[in-house]
Amino acid sequence: MLNTGKLAGRTLFITGASRGIGKAIALRAAQDGAKVVIAAKTAEPHPKLPGTVYTAAKEIEAAGGQCLPCIVDIREDSQLENAVDQAVSKFGGIDILVNNASAIHITGTTATPMKRYDLMMDINTRGTFLASKLCIPHLRKSSNPHILNISPPLNLKPTWFANHCAYTMAKYGMSLCVLGMAEELKEVGIAVNALWPRTSIATAAIEMLGGEGAVRMSRKPDIMADAAYLIFTQNSRKYTGKFLIDDDVLKQNGITDLDQYANVPGEKLLPDYFLDEAENFQAEWLQEGQEQDQPPPSDSPQGVFSRVERLLSPEIVKQVGATYFFIVGGAHPGNWLLDLKNGSGSVSTTESEIEANVTMKMDSDNLVAMFKGKLSPTTAFMTGKLKISGNLAKAMALEKLMGQMKSKL
């Protein structure tokens, strides 16, 4: 997509822009010659996450923009206030606010530590509200002011609350800000919209949640950046109160070649959370797999676990170091313990529940499909087909192992 130059000289204030979607939006605006304020807390390199506010600032300047990197923990009022003051002092005002900073912890109610609950609420909902509150007086002075929250449409189906109620509440808090502030600010001409990706986006967060498989089935952050750019160039008095999906925005502006955004061209795309199509994704994927490869009768949990056991080794045990208890229902019910913590690893059945690092509950057909690589564990979990309790990091380690094993199962 070609730049129009419409953001030249405009000032964007973006929270959480040291990496991922926030940085992509910043780089897109910088190509127009925009001024960008990065408000993020990563000052030093993280061992697992790429980028700092300073490395992002260099990239923004290299792309043609000006940049003010600000070290900000969005939970601290004084730090955010100081960053807004610095932005106005250096660039003369603020034209666009992007509420991108977000925290995620995908667990059920009893498995969610209150520390994590508070973190998500403080960053997602409170941080968005505070950044908006502080920037609104300056946005009022802009000729085309926009607030854009990276948050989902308000889909109230129970599916999106059942497995991660706290995260959904925190994320929907950002969307409720759009609903309320768009109406509140329309008379002064400040647009307030939400933007959400139709598919998962290849970011560090997605890699941590879904592993390499989820990254392969994602689009690049560029699609969100291009959609955001098109939103910012709309008339703020007419284009407000919308819950937008990235590829819809592109199509409405004549951009129909979406293959350019695929992280791995030709790979099936993983729908993002909170969208209706994600609920149908698992069933469609399973049906495709059955049409292409009719499984033999031996494709049951017993058959799968038997083959898994033959692949176990001391090296795998060392790599994973956890136990997994599967409560399987459906056509082939039973309880299975996968021990990847002791000796060379083992698989066993049991009549009663056993304490393990991770407990997973799902239908037998879905379990077989998951181990054979026809069903993404992330998708199964998102859509409520897989229930997980226990150590989420160890659950991710098993997903990575399944990706390595699937060709042999």
Side-chain angles (χ1 to χ4, degrees), residues 154-166:
L154 290 165
N155 188 338
L156 296 182
K157 289 186 176 180
T159 296
W160 300 116
F161 293 83
N163 296 312
H164 38 76
C165 187

Side-chain angles (χ1 to χ4, degrees), residues 120-135:
M120 288 189 287
M121 289 295 178
D122 285 349
I123 293 177
N124 300 2
T125 302
R126 188 181 187 278
T128 292
F129 186 91
L130 178 60
S132 302
K133 172 185 169 69
L134 295 173
C135 288

Side-chain angles (χ1 to χ4, degrees), residues 1 39 58 63 81 129 132 139 153 238 241 265 293 298 300 330 333 353 369 393:
M1 189 178 82
K58 289 181 180 178
E81 290 169 2
F129 186 91
S132 302
L139 291 167
K238 298 179 179 179
D293 179 21
S298 61
S300 62
E353 291 195 20

Side-chain angles (χ1 to χ4, degrees), residues 168-233:
T168 299
M169 290 166 61
K171 204 65 188 175
Y172 278 15
M174 298 176 70
S175 299
L176 288 171
C177 285
V178 172
L179 194 66
M181 292 181 191
E183 187 68 17
E184 177 185 356
L185 300 173
K186 67 180 182 180
E187 290 188 2
V188 295
I190 299 176
V192 187
N193 295 296
L195 178 64
W196 193 246
R198 186 174 303 280
T199 73
S200 62
I201 300 296
T203 63
I206 286 297
E207 186 171 8
M208 289 175 66
L209 285 171
E212 183 180 346
V215 173
R216 288 181 57 85
M217 299 169 67
S218 299
R219 283 173 171 163
K220 301 172 185 175
D222 296 353
I223 191 169
M224 287 289 284
D226 285 356
Y229 179 89
L230 291 167
I231 293 168
F232 300 151
T233 57

Side-chain angles (χ1 to χ4, degrees), residues 9-260:
R10 310 277 289 169
T11 298
L12 288 79
F13 190 102
I14 309 177
T15 64
S18 58
R19 61 180 67 89
I21 292 171
K23 188 178 80 169
I25 292 173
L27 290 171
R28 192 71 179 81
Q31 293 171 21
D32 257 11
K35 305 167 186 176
V36 182
V37 182
I38 299 175
K41 68 175 185 176
T42 308
E44 300 294 332
H46 190 281
K48 295 183 179 180
L49 299 173
T52 68
V53 291
Y54 303 115
T55 58
K58 289 181 180 178
E59 291 183 54
I60 289 165
E61 291 171 349
Q66 299 180 55
C67 188
L68 172 65
C70 297
I71 304 300
V72 175
D73 183 338
I74 201 169
R75 296 170 293 178
E76 299 295 332
D77 294 15
S78 60
Q79 293 184 26
L80 194 52
E81 290 169 2
N82 185 51
V84 171
D85 290 343
Q86 287 185 58
V88 174
S89 176
K90 183 174 179 64
F91 293 136
I94 296 173
D95 300 292
I96 297 165
L97 166 65
V98 182
N99 286 308
N100 169 72
S102 185
I104 183 171
H105 192 69
I106 305 296
T107 50
T109 300
T110 59
T112 302
M114 291 312 296
K115 183 178 180 180
R116 290 288 184 179
Y117 177 93
D118 291 340
L119 178 71
M120 288 189 287
M121 289 295 178
D122 285 349
I123 293 177
N124 300 2
T125 302
R126 188 181 187 278
T128 292
F129 186 91
L130 178 60
S132 302
K133 172 185 169 69
L134 295 173
C135 288
I136 285 170
H138 306 291
L139 291 167
R140 286 175 181 268
K141 301 173 186 178
S142 173
S143 59
N144 193 36
H146 284 265
I147 296 175
L148 183 65
N149 294 355
I150 306 304
S151 65
L154 290 165
N155 188 338
L156 296 182
K157 289 186 176 180
T159 296
W160 300 116
F161 293 83
N163 296 312
H164 38 76
C165 187
Y167 173 62
T168 299
M169 290 166 61
K171 204 65 188 175
Y172 278 15
M174 298 176 70
S175 299
L176 288 171
C177 285
V178 172
L179 194 66
M181 292 181 191
E183 187 68 17
E184 177 185 356
L185 300 173
K186 67 180 182 180
E187 290 188 2
V188 295
I190 299 176
V192 187
N193 295 296
L195 178 64
W196 193 246
R198 186 174 303 280
T199 73
S200 62
I201 300 296
T203 63
I206 286 297
E207 186 171 8
M208 289 175 66
L209 285 171
E212 183 180 346
V215 173
R216 288 181 57 85
M217 299 169 67
S218 299
R219 283 173 171 163
K220 301 172 185 175
D222 296 353
I223 191 169
M224 287 289 284
D226 285 356
Y229 179 89
L230 291 167
I231 293 168
F232 300 151
T233 57
Q234 302 296 318
N235 185 328
S236 65
R237 292 186 174 274
K238 298 179 179 179
Y239 200 82
T240 187
K242 299 179 183 294
F243 290 89
L244 302 159
I245 303 300
D246 54 1
D247 56 11
D248 283 343
V249 175
L250 298 180
K251 291 173 185 176
Q252 290 163 8
N253 286 272
I255 300 171
T256 56
D257 177 17
L258 301 180
D259 292 341
Q260 61 180 307

